[in-house]
């Protein structure tokens, strides 16, 4: 299972990097979204996927899933959400101010670099 | 007075100079400045008798004791001679500058502060026994020299000259520091005296030749040796007292001092002998050859200085052969060292006076261009006399001290025939020949300098000022130096016993334990059997003929291509480094984020892939895997389909929905992998995110509007390859990492203690708020800042306001 997940995560990373390298601001933000999905799944996978039960204490259960990666992912999800929301609004404002969403056009000019 | 305090006396006085300059405006600041070198010259003169007896003095002041760095002032024959030169010529130069620089027109505060700073730096260089201390003062001389050359900072040429000298001497200084550090590593000490005591073991070390070459680079750049002399002629933009002091008598001799001081360590190497002698002889010839070409008085003197420094350098090189020979030959070659130090002293006297005369001519006529000058003999008789004495001494004519040292120089070059070392038995003959030719040119430019300035036709219409004799105060210093030139000729052995022998004993400690053991006598007359006599006669004869025919052959100089000069190479190197750096950075700093991302991702791929490859780190293990279930395969397919949809769709809405689908599938994964809290959060956040995306996208343009046909194919291919690389690397590393777990997880602890220690049942939540509550605190901080940022971006419209006040901002 972990090997299959690793390959799936690699695929998510590939798609994310491909989107991040494109010209359109929107595609870049979508790319970061996919990148965080990939990262969260990677964290989970590396913790091991063999747990039989959710990490909530229950009578008679001994084989819990590893709780630590889950706590880490929970933190990461919230932070990724904060950053995504911020960059979305930033993209929106950029488009309003600059008038383009083409990253190749957003360069420093000779005067202000 | 404490020896270390004496070194710092000038710079301490410098602190008060601006105050004196501001408060005592009626008195020329130079009179206050004169105190320091006068006190010091007396102080150092008091050391002479003891140093003549072979005593040395040392005083240590800890600076950074934990690193074994201290300021050590060490006085022996060599450092005493230099200290006396620095303070003696320093006094004369300050005196001269009092009359040379106008107290109302010039910013004297700056001038004397720099000059006093330089004096301390120079005394520090020659008295330091600690290499790091020596380097500290060495760079201080570079900095104060930079400030002095650029003294008239409103002139372009001054700034250019200052920068050039800074670049070259600091380059050399840094190389030298490298050499010092290597020496420190080899000898495990930075004390020069201790290094000398273990010279034999250091010479065996692998780093020895490196240290030697690096330190010589420092010495050659400072002492204006070939090919680093180029800064010296440009440094002539400095006020003349500075040229006389720094660029003839003291700073340019710091390199000679260093070579002399480290001779006992490095002379055991044949590389040293060859480099020092060869570079010196080449510089001697080159400088004297090009001095004839110059039309500016100070430029002639600058090239002449270069040439004479080369002469002294080559003598030091010949002198270090004494370490390689035995028997009578030892004294034959230490004689060269003796000649070197003697000429060093003589050069300081006559070159100092000549610079001062050049300054006087400039001051009284308004020009230094030798083509405009002439016939000043009757107008400026005293200056003429002094210039004549200086020039004839430089040319090596009897009755002046230059004659004595030039004879000794020729003798020393001829003595090379006795060395059976390093193919010097076959090549040695070149050295006296080159030396002889260089001496002929020296003769020519010496006559050219003095006769073209003071003889010939006077052309007042070419001169900016009406020429007249300089005020008497300005003539005192060059007068004293010119007197010394003659006095030294008549009492050379007194000078030799007092100053030269202690210095030679310091350079050749293995040969002479005491200064009185140095048995040389300086004779003006060597007898008819001396080959040097006939060489000197030849110099006079050929030199005179060449001087007479000068206008006929000097046109040859202008035929030489200007581009291959060393100045041309320096300019080209400077331009190359500037434009080259600009080209390189404009090559990769394109301003496009995509290209930077490509560098970043490319670097990630290359570094990770090569590490995997080199360390053979890729491992795949099928143990310890969870079984693959049908449902999970289905979810994986869903994610792949969703992702592919995002990649190929042309519609914004489809992309958002597909991203949402991927997010929800991830939530389903969380459910399958027993992570209920994650699934919950993921579902909520994905929903909010999709809503946000929809809200924002409503205002954003279409997705694929920037893709254009053929050109785009290459663009997308690059992106695909980079993306593929990153994806493959992540997969490979994930698999390898999972396949070789080294230690068990710490989660067992959480599972066991979650109820007993924290009183909770949901382990993930207890970790978040109890075991690792700090993470959560700052994650809350992140969310707060993100929301504040969003509010700020939406409500603040600074750019709009800027637009309204465009005129003010631009």
């Amino acid at each position: 299972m972990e090997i299959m997940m690793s390959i799936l995560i690699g695929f998510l990373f590939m798609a994310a990097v491909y989107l991040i390298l494109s010209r359109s601001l929107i595609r870049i933000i979508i790319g970061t979204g996919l990148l965080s999905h990939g990262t969260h799944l990677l964290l989970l996978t590396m913790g091991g996927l063999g747990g039989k039960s959710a990490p909530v204490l229950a009578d008679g259960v001994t084989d819990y899933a590893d709780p630590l990666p889950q706590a880490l992912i929970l933190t990461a999800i919230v932070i990724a959400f904060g950053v995504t929301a911020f960059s979305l609004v930033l993209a929106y404002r950029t488009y309003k101010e600059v008038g383009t969403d083409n990253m190749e056009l957003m360069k420093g000019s000779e005067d202000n670099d | 007075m404490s020896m270390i305090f004496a070194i710092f006396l000038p710079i301490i006085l410098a602190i008060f100079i601006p105050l004196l300059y501001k408060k005592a405006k009626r008195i020329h600041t130079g009179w206050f400045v004169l105190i320091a070198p006068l006190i010091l010259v007396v102080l150092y003169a008091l050391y002479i008798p003891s140093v003549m007896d072979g005593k040395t003095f040392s005083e240590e002041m800890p600076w950074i004791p934990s690193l074994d760095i201290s300021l050590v002032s060490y006085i022996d024959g060599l450092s005493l001679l230099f200290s006396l030169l620095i303070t003696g010529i320093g006094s004369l130069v300050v005196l001269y500058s009092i009359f040379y620089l106008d107290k109302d027109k010039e910013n004297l505060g700056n001038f004397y502060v720099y000059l006093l700073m330089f004096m301390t730096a120079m005394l520090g260089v020659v008295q330091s026994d600690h290499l790091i201390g020596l380097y500290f003062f060495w760079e201080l001389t570079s900095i104060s020299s930079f400030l002095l050359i650029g003294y008239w900072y409103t002139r372009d040429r001054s700034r250019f000259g200052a920068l050039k000298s800074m670049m070259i001497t600091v380059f050399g200084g840094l190389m030298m520091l490298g050499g010092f550090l290597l020496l420190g590593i080899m000898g495990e000490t930075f004390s020069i005296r201790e290094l000398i005591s273990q010279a034999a073991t250091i010479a065996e070390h692998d780093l020895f030749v490196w240290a030697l070459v690096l330190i010589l680079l420092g010495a050659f750049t400072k002492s204006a040796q070939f090919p680093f002399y180029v800064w010296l002629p440009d440094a002539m933009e400095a006020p003349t007292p500075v040229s006389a002091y720094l660029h003839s008598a003291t700073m340019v001799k710091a390199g000679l001092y260093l070579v002399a001081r480290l001779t006992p360590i490095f002379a055991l190497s044949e590389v040293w002998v060859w480099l020092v002698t060869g570079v010196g002889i080449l510089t001697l010839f080159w400088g004297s050859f090009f001095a004839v070409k110059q039309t500016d008085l100070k430029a002639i003197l600058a090239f002449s200085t270069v040439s004479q420094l080369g002469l002294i350098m080559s003598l030091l090189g010949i002198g270090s052969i004494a370490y390689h020979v035995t028997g009578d030959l030892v004294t034959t070659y230490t004689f060269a060292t003796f000649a070197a130090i003697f000429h060093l002293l003589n050069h300081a006297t006559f070159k100092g006076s000549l610079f001062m005369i050049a300054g006087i001519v400039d001051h009284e006529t308004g020009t230094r261009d030798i083509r405009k000058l002439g016939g000043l003999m009757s107008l400026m008789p005293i200056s003429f006399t002094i210039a004549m004495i200086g020039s004839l001494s430089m040319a090596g004519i009897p009755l002046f001290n230059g004659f004595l040292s030039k004879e000794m120089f020729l003798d020393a070059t001829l003595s090379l025939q006795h060395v059976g070392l390093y193919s010097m038995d076959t090549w040695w003959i070149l050295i006296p020949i080159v030396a002889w030719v260089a001496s002929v040119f020296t003769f020519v430019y010496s006559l050219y300098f003095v006769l073209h300035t003071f003889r010939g036709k006077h052309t007042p219409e070419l001169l900016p000022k009406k020429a007249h004799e300089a005020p008497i105060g300005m003539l005192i210093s060059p007068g004293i130096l010119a007197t010394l030139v003659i006095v030294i000729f008549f009492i050379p052995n007194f000078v030799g016993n007092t100053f030269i022998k202690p210095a030679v004993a310091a350079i050749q400690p293995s040969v002479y334990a005491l200064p009185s053991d140095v048995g040389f006598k300086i004779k003006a007359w060597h007898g008819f059997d001396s080959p040097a006599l006939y060489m000197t006669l030849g110099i006079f004869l050929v030199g005179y003929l060449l001087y007479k025919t000068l206008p006929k052959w000097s046109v040859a100089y202008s035929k030489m291509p200007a581009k291959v000069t060393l100045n041309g190479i320096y300019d080209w190197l400077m331009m190359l480094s500037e434009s080259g750096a600009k080209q390189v950075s404009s090559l990769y700093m394109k301003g496009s984020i995509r290209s930077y991302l490509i560098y970043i991702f490319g670097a990630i791929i290359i570094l990770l892939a090569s590490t995997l490859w080199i360390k053979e780190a890729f491992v795949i293990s099928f143990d310890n895997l969870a079984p693959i279930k049908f449902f999970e395969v289905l979810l994986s397919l869903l994610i792949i389909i969703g992702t592919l949809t995002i990649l190929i769709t042309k519609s914004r809405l489809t992309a958002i929905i597909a991203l949402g689908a991927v997010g929800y599938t991830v939530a389903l994964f969380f459910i399958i992998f027993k992570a209920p809290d994650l699934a919950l959060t993921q579902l909520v956040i994905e929903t909010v995110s999709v809503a946000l995306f929809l809200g924002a996208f409503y205002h954003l343009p279409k997705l694929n509007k920037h893709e254009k046909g053929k050109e785009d194919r290459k663009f997308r291919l690059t992106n695909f390859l980079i993306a593929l690389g990153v994806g493959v690397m992540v997969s490979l590393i994930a698999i390898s990492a999972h396949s070789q777990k080294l230690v068990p997880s710490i989660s067992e602890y959480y599972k066991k203690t979650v109820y007993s220690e924290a009183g909770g049942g949901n382990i993930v939540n207890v970790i978040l708020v109890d075991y690792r509550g700090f993470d959560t605190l700052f994650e809350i901080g992140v969310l707060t800042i993100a929301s504040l940022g969003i509010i700020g971006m939406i409500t603040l419209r600074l750019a709009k306001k800027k637009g309204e006040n465009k005129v003010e901002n631009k």
Side-chain angles (χ1 to χ4, degrees):
Chain A
M1 190 65 231
E2 281 87 350
I3 291 173
M4 196 190 88
M5 285 303 286
S6 297
I7 294 167
L8 178 72
I9 291 158
F11 177 76
L12 276 174
F13 268 77
M14 185 186 83
V17 169
Y18 183 78
L19 287 167
I20 286 173
L21 288 175
S22 59
R23 291 194 185 92
S24 155
L25 199 48
I26 311 170
R27 285 167 74 94
I28 291 174
I29 297 173
I30 295 177
T32 57
L34 282 183
L35 196 66
S36 36
H37 286 323
T39 315
H40 300 154
L41 284 179
L42 182 64
L43 277 170
L44 194 70
T45 309
M46 291 297 102
L49 299 173
K52 289 267 184 326
S53 169
V56 178
L57 285 190
D59 286 337
V61 183
T62 48
D63 189 9
Y64 296 113
D66 195 339
L68 191 58
Q70 297 192 13
L72 297 182
I73 295 167
L74 200 61
T75 312
I77 289 175
V78 176
I79 290 174
F81 168 70
V83 174
T84 308
F86 185 84
S87 48
L88 257 176
V89 178
L90 186 65
Y92 161 72
R93 289 291 306 148
T94 308
Y95 180 64
K96 287 286 163 199
E97 294 292 330
V98 182
T100 179
D101 70 328
N102 186 347
M103 290 305 290
E104 295 292 293
L105 295 180
M106 293 185 208
K107 288 182 183 177
S109 63
E110 285 293 317
D111 312 324
N112 61 10
D113 58 4
Chain B
M1 199 188 315
S2 147
M3 282 155 62
I4 287 178
F5 178 73
I7 292 179
F8 285 102
L9 179 71
I11 213 167
I12 291 168
L13 180 62
I15 297 170
F16 300 100
I17 288 301
L19 195 73
L20 290 169
Y21 176 60
K22 287 261 154 53
K23 293 290 165 196
K25 274 203 182 299
R26 286 176 50 214
I27 308 167
H28 196 288
T29 318
W31 292 113
F32 302 116
V33 175
L34 199 52
I35 302 165
L38 279 181
I39 293 177
L40 290 177
V41 82
V42 172
L43 176 78
Y44 290 127
L46 295 177
Y47 282 100
I48 295 175
S50 342
V51 169
M52 276 172 76
D53 293 338
K55 284 195 194 117
T56 59
F57 301 87
S58 174
E59 190 181 298
E60 183 169 354
M61 186 180 85
W63 183 7
I64 311 175
S66 58
L67 296 177
D68 192 24
I69 291 175
S70 49
L71 293 177
V72 186
S73 166
Y74 175 66
I75 288 187
D76 62 357
L78 187 64
S79 48
L80 183 66
L81 171 73
F82 271 91
S83 302
L84 281 167
L85 265 182
I86 292 159
T87 49
I89 308 251
S91 316
L92 295 176
V93 161
V94 170
L95 182 66
Y96 174 76
S97 70
I98 291 172
F99 297 95
Y100 187 83
L101 294 171
D102 193 289
K103 82 173 153 58
D104 300 319
K105 290 181 195 151
E106 302 286 354
N107 189 350
L108 294 176
N110 287 359
F111 181 80
Y112 287 114
V113 167
Y114 301 157
L115 198 73
L116 288 169
M117 194 167 125
F118 172 79
M119 206 177 282
T120 284
M122 209 51 218
L123 287 172
V125 166
V126 299
Q127 289 182 20
S128 282
D129 185 59
H130 195 281
L131 287 175
I132 302 298
L134 200 163
Y135 174 73
F136 168 73
F137 288 114
W138 185 277
E139 292 298 30
L140 197 59
T141 65
S142 295
I143 292 166
S144 46
S145 159
F146 169 79
L147 291 168
L148 283 166
I149 297 169
Y151 174 64
W152 286 311
Y153 53 82
T154 47
R155 301 182 188 172
D156 277 346
R157 295 295 307 170
S158 294
R159 294 201 303 268
F160 176 78
L163 186 64
K164 192 173 184 178
S165 73
M166 184 82 164
M167 295 295 279
I168 294 177
T169 54
V170 167
F171 160 77
L174 289 173
M175 295 293 125
M176 190 185 81
L177 176 63
F180 283 176
L181 295 178
L182 291 181
L183 262 189
I185 291 168
M186 288 187 283
E188 291 176 351
T189 172
F190 281 114
S191 161
I192 298 174
R193 276 173 294 165
E194 285 171 35
L195 284 167
I196 289 174
S197 66
Q198 31 177 310
T201 48
I202 291 175
E204 307 277 301
H205 204 282
D206 294 340
L207 297 172
F208 179 70
V209 175
W210 289 104
L212 187 159
V213 170
L214 288 173
I215 290 176
L216 272 187
L217 268 177
F220 286 168
T221 49
K222 199 74 162 183
S223 277
Q225 298 294 297
F226 185 88
F228 306 111
Y229 73 84
V230 287
W231 65 268
L232 187 61
D234 283 306
M236 291 301 130
E237 295 303 323
T240 302
V242 173
S243 310
Y245 188 36
L246 274 69
H247 306 129
S248 76
T250 54
M251 189 179 86
V252 287
K253 289 186 174 134
L256 298 173
Y257 166 80
L258 191 70
V259 168
R261 177 57 85 200
L262 299 181
T263 293
I265 301 176
F266 288 115
L268 298 168
S269 153
E270 58 178 287
V271 183
W272 173 270
V273 174
W274 268 114
L275 265 180
V276 176
T277 315
V279 170
I281 282 286
L282 181 60
T283 313
L284 164 67
F285 171 73
W286 193 279
S288 64
F289 182 66
F290 283 100
V292 184
K293 180 192 171 189
Q294 309 302 319
T295 55
D296 177 280
L297 288 183
K298 279 172 86 178
I300 300 175
L301 293 177
F303 275 94
S304 151
T305 303
V306 169
S307 151
Q308 305 276 321
L309 293 170
L311 187 155
I312 301 168
M313 190 66 89
S314 66
L315 280 173
L316 287 173
I318 297 172
S320 55
I321 297 176
Y323 283 84
H324 299 265
V325 290
T326 49
D328 286 348
L329 284 179
V330 175
T331 39
T332 309
Y333 293 110
T334 43
F335 181 70
T337 309
F338 186 74
I341 300 300
F342 188 50
H343 192 70
L344 190 142
L345 183 68
N346 291 344
H347 177 251
T349 56
F350 67 71
K351 194 52 65 65
S353 70
L354 284 177
F355 265 112
M356 290 178 188
I357 292 299
I360 288 172
V361 169
D362 186 16
H363 205 267
E364 305 308 332
T365 65
T367 182
R368 295 196 313 249
D369 192 330
I370 202 160
R371 290 166 299 189
K372 294 181 187 164
L373 294 164
L376 296 175
M377 192 169 87
S378 53
L379 294 167
M380 307 170 73
I382 305 173
S383 309
F384 169 68
T385 315
I386 295 168
M388 204 66 198
I389 293 169
S391 295
L392 294 182
S393 175
M394 184 158 74
I397 284 175
L399 293 181
F400 308 105
N401 59 6
F403 171 75
L404 302 172
S405 42
K406 184 143 292 183
E407 292 280 282
M408 290 156 76
F409 168 60
L410 294 173
D411 271 341
T413 57
L414 287 171
S415 70
L416 281 173
Q417 61 186 303
H418 305 298
V419 205
L421 286 163
Y422 329 126
S423 42
M424 256 193 192
D425 41 352
T426 44
W427 290 99
W428 72 273
I429 190 70
L430 276 178
I431 291 178
I433 290 176
V434 176
W436 185 82
V437 175
S439 302
V440 171
F441 279 108
T442 307
F443 189 85
V444 174
Y445 72 70
S446 300
L447 287 190
Y448 171 66
F449 174 82
V450 68
L451 296 182
H452 274 243
T453 312
F454 292 97
R455 295 273 308 266
K457 223 175 80 188
H458 184 49
T459 49
E461 66 277 7
L462 286 176
L463 301 178
K465 287 187 193 169
K466 196 170 162 359
H468 57 81
E469 185 57 276
I472 193 73
M474 212 189 272
L475 289 165
I476 295 173
S477 301
I480 292 174
L481 287 172
T483 315
L484 280 177
V485 167
I486 299 177
V487 166
I488 293 177
F489 178 80
F490 286 107
I491 50 158
N493 287 312
F494 170 73
V495 176
N497 291 332
T498 318
F499 302 109
I500 316 296
K501 286 182 182 176
V504 173
I507 302 173
Q508 311 270 11
S510 58
V511 186
Y512 304 109
L514 286 173
S516 47
D517 297 345
V518 185
F520 302 118
K521 281 227 168 289
I522 307 168
K523 296 172 291 194
W525 178 247
H526 294 257
F528 285 109
D529 55 344
S530 155
L533 173 73
Y534 298 102
M535 285 172 86
T536 309
L537 286 177
I539 290 168
F540 294 165
L541 189 70
V542 180
Y544 186 72
L545 286 175
L546 277 179
Y547 172 70
K548 277 291 167 193
T549 53
L550 184 62
K552 293 201 182 82
W553 59 271
S554 64
V555 287
Y557 282 113
S558 55
K559 295 250 159 50
M560 280 187 295
K563 275 201 175 168
V564 294
T565 59
L566 290 169
N567 278 314
I569 292 172
Y570 170 83
D571 292 339
W572 178 76
L573 275 177
M574 292 300 285
M575 199 200 68
L576 190 76
S577 57
E578 274 177 34
S579 67
K582 198 176 173 189
Q583 268 173 15
V584 168
S585 61
S586 66
L587 199 69
Y588 70 92
M589 296 297 287
K590 286 185 188 136
S592 130
I593 293 200
R594 174 176 171 262
S595 53
Y596 304 148
L597 285 172
I598 287 180
Y599 306 145
I600 293 168
F601 287 130
I604 290 173
I605 296 169
I606 292 167
L607 287 176
L608 291 182
S610 50
T611 311
L612 272 188
W613 177 267
I614 293 165
K615 294 278 174 191
E616 294 173 358
F618 180 70
V619 184
I620 182 160
S621 135
F622 295 97
D623 307 334
N624 200 17
L625 289 178
I628 298 180
K629 288 176 201 145
F630 166 72
F631 202 51
E632 294 155 3
V633 177
L634 191 73
L635 289 183
S636 302
L637 280 176
L638 263 178
I639 284 193
I640 291 171
I641 292 167
T643 313
L644 286 175
T645 316
I646 297 172
L647 287 178
I648 50 182
T649 183
K650 288 194 165 36
S651 136
R652 288 176 286 173
L653 203 60
T654 318
I656 297 166
I657 291 170
L659 183 65
V662 172
Y664 287 131
T665 318
V666 171
L668 289 177
F669 262 122
F670 288 153
I671 292 174
I672 293 176
F673 294 134
K674 317 288 185 229
D677 298 296
L678 288 187
L680 205 63
T681 319
Q682 177 70 23
L683 280 173
V684 174
I685 280 193
E686 200 56 40
T687 313
V688 179
S689 292
V690 168
L692 259 173
F693 268 84
L694 284 173
F697 281 19
Y698 179 73
H699 299 280
L700 289 172
K702 284 224 168 65
L703 261 188
N704 294 343
K705 149 176 126 156
H706 307 299
E707 293 174 24
K708 33 192 172 189
K710 260 191 184 170
E711 188 198 321
D712 206 55
R713 211 170 282 164
K714 201 179 138 208
F715 181 87
R716 279 194 281 181
L717 185 68
T718 324
N719 290 0
F720 175 71
L721 288 176
I722 296 276
L724 186 69
V726 172
V728 169
M729 284 328 297
V730 168
S731 292
L732 289 181
I733 287 173
I735 291 169
S736 316
H738 188 262
S739 299
Q740 37 194 345
K741 276 206 172 137
L742 300 178
V743 285
S745 162
I746 58 162
S747 299
E748 290 311 311
Y749 168 78
Y750 295 134
K751 290 174 193 168
K752 270 188 207 131
T753 61
V754 65
Y755 192 75
S756 57
E757 297 279 332
N762 185 330
I763 308 176
V764 173
N765 288 3
V766 171
I767 289 177
L768 281 174
V769 297
D770 189 322
Y771 291 112
R772 303 177 56 92
F774 266 124
D775 289 0
T776 313
L777 178 64
F778 290 106
E779 161 200 343
I780 293 166
V782 168
L783 270 191
T784 317
I785 290 167
S787 46
L788 287 175
I790 289 169
I791 292 171
M793 274 194 293
I794 291 186
T795 53
L796 294 178
R797 295 289 153 94
L798 293 174
K800 278 264 168 63
K801 277 184 198 153
K802 219 184 201 173
E804 286 160 14
N805 311 332
K806 240 175 196 163
V807 189
E808 284 168 38
N809 288 325
K810 279 199 175 173

